[in-house]
Amino acid sequence: MHKTQKLIYIALLVAQGVILGLVENMIPSPFAFAPGAKLGLANLITIIAIFTMPKRDSFRLVWMRLILTTLLGGTISTFLYSMSGSMLSYFGMLLVKSLGPKRVSIIGISAAGGFLHNVGQLLVASWIAQSWTVMLYLPVMSLFGVLAGITIGIAGNYLLVHVQALKKFQLNYELEKKNKKRSGGYQK
């Protein structure tokens, strides 16, 4: 893949993630008994990035999406919540993905990410409130996080199977990974 193609691909995914995040922020929370619970549409882009590009590039994508979304419609506190949830979710999904496709599917990886995203956000809320009682909200948020993760995983799987451009990037990424492994220059 040419460097220009790669940069354009990353830029398009970042833009899509920012737009999804901003649109979702405009939609009021439909869950009165779980304020703040959302589907996490922008995490669809993170899932796609994890499966179609090297870790370094997907990590950059997540950071660019976080920063741009905050600059366009957030505050310092929303950045802290989003960053903590996104980073814990991102690294957790990479860890679960490393188990291999025979042990866990994209849907399972995304469900783990949904759960960890809420854990990260509640940890920051506990830190800000200086009280661990905020963590009592974890069972409710975990349920929504896992369900949202499953939904995002299904959507991500569908896109990776049916969108030709994504299939191309995914195959190219897997070929590069295999070639680097064979040559001994593979970097995670």
Side-chain angles (χ1 to χ4, degrees), residues 40-51:
L41 294 173
N43 294 326
L44 177 61
I45 302 304
T46 303
I47 280 288
I48 288 171
I50 286 173
F51 280 88

Side-chain angles (χ1 to χ4, degrees), residues 168-184:
K168 176 184 162 192
F169 279 101
Q170 185 178 21
L171 289 172
N172 192 23
Y173 167 60
E174 290 170 3
L175 283 173
E176 284 178 10
K177 211 161 67 168
K178 284 181 186 176
N179 289 338
K180 284 183 181 180
K181 260 188 182 179
R182 275 193 222 132
S183 67

Side-chain angles (χ1 to χ4, degrees), residues 5-178:
Q5 283 179 314
K6 182 174 151 181
L7 290 173
I8 291 170
Y9 179 64
I10 292 171
L12 287 172
L13 287 180
V14 169
Q16 290 169 352
V18 169
I19 290 168
L20 288 171
L22 292 174
V23 167
E24 188 170 34
N25 286 341
M26 289 186 237
I27 301 169
S29 180
F31 311 108
F33 53 90
K38 295 191 178 210
L39 188 55
L41 294 173
N43 294 326
L44 177 61
I45 302 304
T46 303
I47 280 288
I48 288 171
I50 286 173
F51 280 88
T52 61
M53 62 180 63
K55 292 174 187 162
R56 182 177 19 169
D57 292 335
S58 62
F59 183 75
R60 282 187 199 143
L61 178 140
V62 171
W63 271 103
M64 285 188 282
R65 181 178 61 82
L66 284 169
I67 291 168
L68 287 172
T69 303
T70 302
L71 289 174
L72 293 172
T75 62
I76 295 294
S77 63
T78 59
F79 175 75
L80 287 174
Y81 288 118
S82 295
M83 185 265 308
S84 62
S86 293
M87 289 296 109
L88 188 58
S89 173
Y90 174 77
F91 288 115
M93 287 191 292
L94 288 178
L95 185 65
V96 173
K97 183 183 179 226
S98 70
L99 296 173
K102 290 184 180 178
R103 292 194 178 135
V104 64
S105 69
I106 187 172
I107 297 167
I109 293 166
S110 182
F115 169 75
L116 291 171
H117 195 277
N118 288 324
V119 170
Q121 288 184 327
L122 289 174
L123 286 172
V124 166
S126 293
W127 175 68
I128 289 172
Q130 296 186 351
S131 171
W132 288 105
T133 57
V134 174
M135 296 304 284
L136 294 173
Y137 199 37
L138 186 60
V140 173
M141 292 303 288
S142 295
L143 175 65
F144 284 106
V146 170
L147 291 175
I150 289 170
T151 304
I152 295 298
I154 291 168
N157 189 53
Y158 180 84
L159 290 173
L160 287 171
V161 169
H162 291 90
V163 176
Q164 292 299 319
L166 292 178
K167 282 176 30 177
K168 176 184 162 192
F169 279 101
Q170 185 178 21
L171 289 172
N172 192 23
Y173 167 60
E174 290 170 3
L175 283 173
E176 284 178 10
K177 211 161 67 168
K178 284 181 186 176

